[in-house]
Structure formats: C-alpha cells, structure tokens
Amino acid sequence: MVAALHVVDCALCGLPTAHPFRGEGGTLFCCPACLEVDRLLHAGEREARAAPSADLQASAPPANHATAVLSLGGLWCSSCAWLIGETLRRAPGVHSADVSFGQREGRITFDPERTDPRRLQRQVKRLGYRAWLPGETPSDEEESFSNRLLIAGIFAMHDMIISLMIYVREFFGWATPESAWLVTIFYLMMAMASVPILVLLGIPVLRAGLASLLRGQPNTHTLITLGTFAAVALSVRNLVLGIDRVYFDTASMLLFLVAVGRWLEMRAHKTGSDALERLWKQVPTEATWITPEGERRVPADELSAGARVRVRPGERFPVDGLVATGEGDVDESLLTGEPDPVLRRPRDRVLAGTVSLDGAFEIITTAVGAETVTGQIGRLLHQALWQRAPVERLADRLSAWMVPGAVALAAGTFTFWTVRAGPEVGLLNALSVLLIACPCALGLATPLTLWLGLTRSAEGGVILRSTAALERLASVRQVFFDKTGTLTRLPFRLQAVFSGELDEEAFLARVAAVEASSEHPLAQAVVAEAESRDLALPSASDFRAWPGYGVSGRLEDSRIWVGNQRLMDTQGLKLGADLAARAATWKRQGRCVVYAGWEDRVTGLLVLGEETRPEAVEVVDALQAMGLQVAVLTGDDKMAGERWHERLGVPVYAEQRPEDKMARLREAAGPVAMVGDGINDGPALAAATVGVAVSHGTDVARAAADVILLGDEIRAVPWLAALARTTMRRVRQNLAWAFFYNLIGLGLAVTGHLQPVLAAAAMIASSLIVTGNALRLRQFPAAGARVEGERPRSEDSADTPDAISSVPVAG
Ligand code: ADP
Ligand code: MG
C-alpha cells in the first residue's frame, strides 16, 4: 500500500513541501535554510525582548503638535534615511520623524513651541544632505552652479579681452589724447560686462560673506567679498571722476576664479561620495519573490526576513540570505575586494550586491535594505565621512587663525602703501594680500585626502569607522595578532572525539548543545560536526561565555563546562591519567584540544586540526618590512604558543585572558594595532590605538573595532597600513604646500609685487595642486596587489594548493 503523499506548508516561506524539516517545537520547514533563518529570527526576538524597547519609552502623542514635510536630496542609500530620522528624533521638540528613502521625504511631527520647520531643515542640512520645505524648488546645486559659472565665464572673458585691448593701445603707443574717448567706452563696456558676474557669482559670495561676518566668524567668503567690492567701488569712483584706471576686470576675474575653485571642491567631494553611491547602486532594487501562488517581482526592501527569493545566473543578490537550493560561484569583490569568486552551496550565506556568476539560486532572506551587510557598510562609511579627524581639526584651527590674520595684514599693507603711494596702490596691494591668504587649499587638502583614503580602503574590502582611524593607523609602531580565528585557517575541523564515559555521539551531542550558543570558531566546528552526523541536540539553558577560557551551560540538571585546561582547573574538574596522556600526545602533534566535563571531572576531549592561514607568514613579513613590530597574543596554552613562535618567528604570548591582552596593549610603548576576531576580542580591540576586526562577513556593525576587514584574508592588514601611511603623507605634503605657498605669496603681496588677478590665479593653481595630489590616492594599488616589502607570491602558493578560495565567509 502506498501512503498518501502528505504535503505541508513551510512555516517560514509558505511554500508547500512533501519532505519537511522539523525545527524546535515541531515546526515544519521546507528546507534547512528556512529552519536556520527561523532560528536566527527567534534569537533576534529573544534579544529584543531582553532589551528595554525604546518605543515603549516614547511619550504619548502630544496634545499640541504640528507636522512638517521635508523633501530630501543627497541621500545615497536607505541608511542615510535612517541617519536623518535618528538625528531628527533626537532633536529637541521633535515627537516623531519618518524618513523614507524611496520617496526622498521626511515627515516630522514636532512641538511648534519648541522648534520649527526651518530649524529642522537646518538640522538635516548640517548632516550634509539637502532639504527643501514645501514650495521651495529642489534643484541640482551642482548643475545650476556650473551653468552660472559658464555664463559668468563668458563675461569674464569679455572683460579680459577689453582690458587686453587697452593694454595693447598703450603698449604700441596709440594712446593719443584724441582717442581717449575710446578708452572711456571700453571702461563702460567692462563695467557692463561685470554686472552679470557680480549678480551671478558675487551676490552668493556677498551673502555668505556677510552671514559669516555677522556670526563673528569671518571666512574666505568674507575676504573675497571685501576684495571684489573694494575693487568695484574703486572703479566706479574712478569712472565717475574720470580718473584713468578701473579694476572691473580684476573684480570679475576674481569672482570667476574663486567660483572655479569652489566648483573644483564640489567635484572633489562628489568623487568621495561617489564611491559610496556606487556601492549601494550594486544592490538591485527589485527581487523575484517566490510565493505559493507563483513568482512576483517586488521592491527588495519590502521583503521581510524569511521570504524566498530567486536569483538567476548573472544576477546580483537583492537581499542578504542563506542559500536554500542551488550551487555556484559568487563574485563578492564588491564587498571584499577579492577578485576570486567563492563557491556558495545550500546553507551558505550570500550578501546583497554580490553577483551569482553561474549558479541558479533560491535563497531565504535574512536581511533587507539598511540591515544587509552592504547597508551596514554604507551606514558606517557615511558616518565615517562626516566625522572629523584630528588632523582636519588642525587644518580648521589654522584656517580660523589665518582669516583674521589676513585681514590684519591687509589692513597693515593698505596703511603702509597708502602712505607711500596713495590709496589706490594701497587698496590693490591689500587685495592681493587678502586673496593669497585665502586658506582654500588648506581647507580643501586635508578632508579630501582623508575621504579618498577612506573610500579607497572600502574598495579593498576594508571598512573604517572614521577617517581618524587612518591617521592613527599611520602612526602605529606595533601590531598584535590574536591567534584563534585570526591567524588560524577557518573553519576548524573536528578530527576526533574521545570520552571515557559516554559513547562518542552522546558526548558530542552534549558538548555541541552548549557550544551552539557560542560564536567562537572552535564552537562552530563542534556544532558543524554534530550537525553533519545528524545528532539531535538537547536544549541547553543558562549559557555563559568565559572569554579566554571557554563556555558553560546547563543540561537537565548538570552544568557542562567546555573549554581549555585552565577552565577545567579553575572549576576543579579532575583530569584522569588516561585523558591527560591523550591530550598531551595530541598537543604535541600540534592539534588544538578542547576539554569538556561536568560535576567533578573532565569527561572527554575534542581534537581539532589547527592550520595556519596560508597568508600569515607573508603578512607578518610584509609588516616587518614596513618597520613594524609584530607579536601574537593568544588565550591558548604555552605549548601552542611555542609552536606558533616557531611558525611565524615572532614573539607569542600564551595563556592571555582578555584582561591580560588589554594590559599588554596598554603597556606597549607607542601606538599599537590589534588584529582580532570581530566579536570575541572586543575588549582588546577597543583597548588598542587601532582595533582591526576580522568580520568573517557577519554582523559588521557589531564589531567593536575602528577597522573591519570584510574579506576572508588578513592580507588586507599590510595593505591598509601602507594605504594609511600614503594617505597621511599626502595630507602632510598638502599642508606643507599650502603653508609655503601662502607664506611666499604673502611676502610678494605685502611688498607690492603681486597683482590681484595673479594672486587669485595662484590661489586656484594651489587648490588644483592639492586636489591633484589627493586624487593620486585613487591610483593606490588594489588590495590583492603586491604591497611594498612582500615576497613574491610563488613561494607561498606552492605548499598550499587548495588555498583560501573555498573558505566560506559564512558565520
Ligand atoms: P585566542 O586568543 O587564541 O584567539 P581565545 O581567547 O578565543 O583564543 O580562546 C582561548 C582559548 O579558550 C582557546 O584556545 C580555547 O581553548 C578556549 N575557548 C574559548 N572559547 C571556547 C569555546 N567556545 N569552546 C571551546 N573552547 C574555547
Ligand atoms: Mg580569537
């Protein structure tokens, strides 16, 4: 007799299945991926329940409130919307703020007595976005600016040609009294051609200049306003009084050149943010959702976790998820910077924005939009871009001094030359002083260079939380590595299980039940082995991680301890002679031994193969070649420490608990970098001058580090160190250049050797030079390429034939 085929619907994605997988509490799923996601989701819920909800604390809707709608510009991903929303919600007087990335719009309810729409608009603008109130016309700032620049440029040209004709007339001796009327006409033409320039370019500068003056913070705009309007006023006076000298050409050229500088700056900043925009643009906005009724195209960020999505060969993944069916190569270079594709199979993790090269996948969504790894990266990078590094503050401080200094110097120059050669010469020379003292290059050089360094590192799969991290990294003298999970090759593989009391599988199941709650790489290997043997894991309660030692948890009524020998010692679990002898043998063979026990004794051992990452030696050499000291800190025992010392040839400090690691980092002379596991090395990463986390592609935003490596190679460490040094070198070069240029220019201007137009041209040239120098960072070799001091690749590839290409990023 044939049993009727029993079809059930998956509890997560809703698809019918005849061969369900049974999850906790008997829930049925269509595939292991759905089961896994459901488990993850419930873990999330538990966390959410444990944390006090912010929403609950929100006050009741206010009696007295108003609503404002802001149209937004300059958002490049949904995390920008998140940031704006967060900022607004924290602003005084704001009750709620809903910001939609799709509609580029924010709806804000607020208390009209405490704030108003204009102030909210300013708050958004201060974050670097554009915002318009209803009735204001959104326009592309850059486009309208370049149009104005173009029109003004034509008129400026006109002025220059006329003034050239006047010079020609004088130069060839045609300046006869009979033709003097011609000059007056030329002057009038110049005056007329200057009017559009003054309106198009002058008024915005005037407005900005006055505004900053009123705030008591004179800036470059103030200088330019003073300069141009002094030149125009002088010219008008001369024209009216019939004095044979006008400076309309100077004023218009000045405004034009300054606007060119401003435009350059806009372009340069755009270059910085383009890299981010490019990242986000790679994530498809639509996804193919598989429902019981068939397939549908839907906006990707409307999917919820658990939705089943189809991704065909050549397509990009629209969401983060786990592979349910399908197998194939995936190009993850967008996030990791590593050019080699990685193989993805059922239950592996795939990330939004990466490309399925040849596999036809069905995946189960784990995260969409801003919650995807790509979204988290966008958010981190964006925050990093708006944080100022100390060296930027130095530049700001210098600028803040230079403007009043320039005004004082200009006043001195004016007085001196007025006494010596009359007010006209005085004014012109003072104008040159003002122009040349403009700290444009200084203000531009530093942030731009840091931005480019930051985006360049993102292209190489390295995320920096702030530009300050680059600055600190460049100063680092010593690099410490964590061992397990950082220098060891992942994943670990369980090679043997031994228990004197239980049979092997029952013992493994008990240990795995506790380890299932740990993110440690050793724990993952234990759980993977239990799963591959299809063991039913009992559920453990009371889980606790003992960083540097191991974990514990309660099963039925005994407490199970899993970890290293020191954990067993501290808990007073006795180690029998047989187990001790076996452990010693395995350790001598270079394996990693994990102890487990309950009640009063160690009941068994787990043996894991420990291999060095293929690139570890190369990375250590490269860092040493850069003059950095390298050392290893490990929670493992002395014997393992010895072994690693032999392998790498650097000092290895063994039996380091997290607090020992921190102490050692604090004691180290000078700035130190610590490279470690994203999550379990949190304290050490935070204690170092710069913490570098190996993320294994998991929760990027949670890693307690300044720097997060997305790729699965630590080769990015020397690359990043070199990039940081190059970036800071460029910053210093630019600062030095801007400083010397200002000094020399000032000398010439004060002594009356620099025409105002030349001063303006020099200012632009200087900005161009620093911008160009910063842009050279874009040519910094890609992450996978050779870095100074590394050895040729052939040496290390020979003995590691099946290198890293098949290691999943999955966490
Ligand atoms: P490292 O400093 O080398 O990265 P850790 O501090 O992560 O090492 O761990 C130190 C030691 O503690 C490990 O070698 C291991 O013996 C033990 N340990 C830590 N966590 C676990 C765990 N979840 N399961 C088993 N052993 C663990
Ligand atoms: Mg570790």
Side-chain angles (χ1 to χ4, degrees), residues 66 105 153 183 244 301 317 338 348 425 565 596 617 674 713 741 756:
E105 206 175 78
V183 176
D244 183 22
D301 46 4
F317 292 94
E338 285 165 25
D348 284 349
V425 177
Q565 193 170 0
V617 174
M674 166 85 200
E713 286 190 40
Y741 141 87

Side-chain angles (χ1 to χ4, degrees), residues 482 484 677 680-681:
D482 161 64
T484 319
D677 253 286
N680 63 32
D681 284 318

Side-chain angles (χ1 to χ4, degrees), residues 482-488 520-521 633-635 661 676-677 680-681:
D482 161 64
K483 179 181 76 76
T484 319
T486 305
L487 287 176
T488 49
H520 201 276
L633 301 176
T634 174
K661 290 189 184 179
D677 253 286
N680 63 32
D681 284 318

Side-chain angles (χ1 to χ4, degrees), residues 185-228:
I185 291 196
F186 277 161
Y187 284 169
L188 283 173
M189 282 168 74
M190 270 164 84
M192 280 188 300
S194 306
V195 172
I197 304 177
L198 285 171
V199 171
L200 285 173
L201 303 179
I203 289 179
V205 172
L206 178 69
R207 207 188 296 140
L210 284 181
S212 63
L213 205 58
L214 289 181
R215 260 185 282 128
Q217 297 168 322
N219 61 9
T220 1
H221 287 127
T222 326
L223 297 189
I224 300 162
T225 311
L226 271 176
T228 15

Side-chain angles (χ1 to χ4, degrees), residues 14 28 146 169 193 202 219 243-244 478 610:
L28 299 179
S146 43
R169 173 175 168 275
N219 61 9
I243 299 171
D244 183 22
Q478 235 179 325
E610 186 190 65

Side-chain angles (χ1 to χ4, degrees), residues 24-42:
E24 272 170 60
T27 324
L28 299 179
F29 300 95
C30 66
C31 62
C34 274
L35 191 151
E36 186 74 18
V37 171
D38 187 68
R39 203 176 59 78
L40 280 177
L41 290 177
H42 282 101

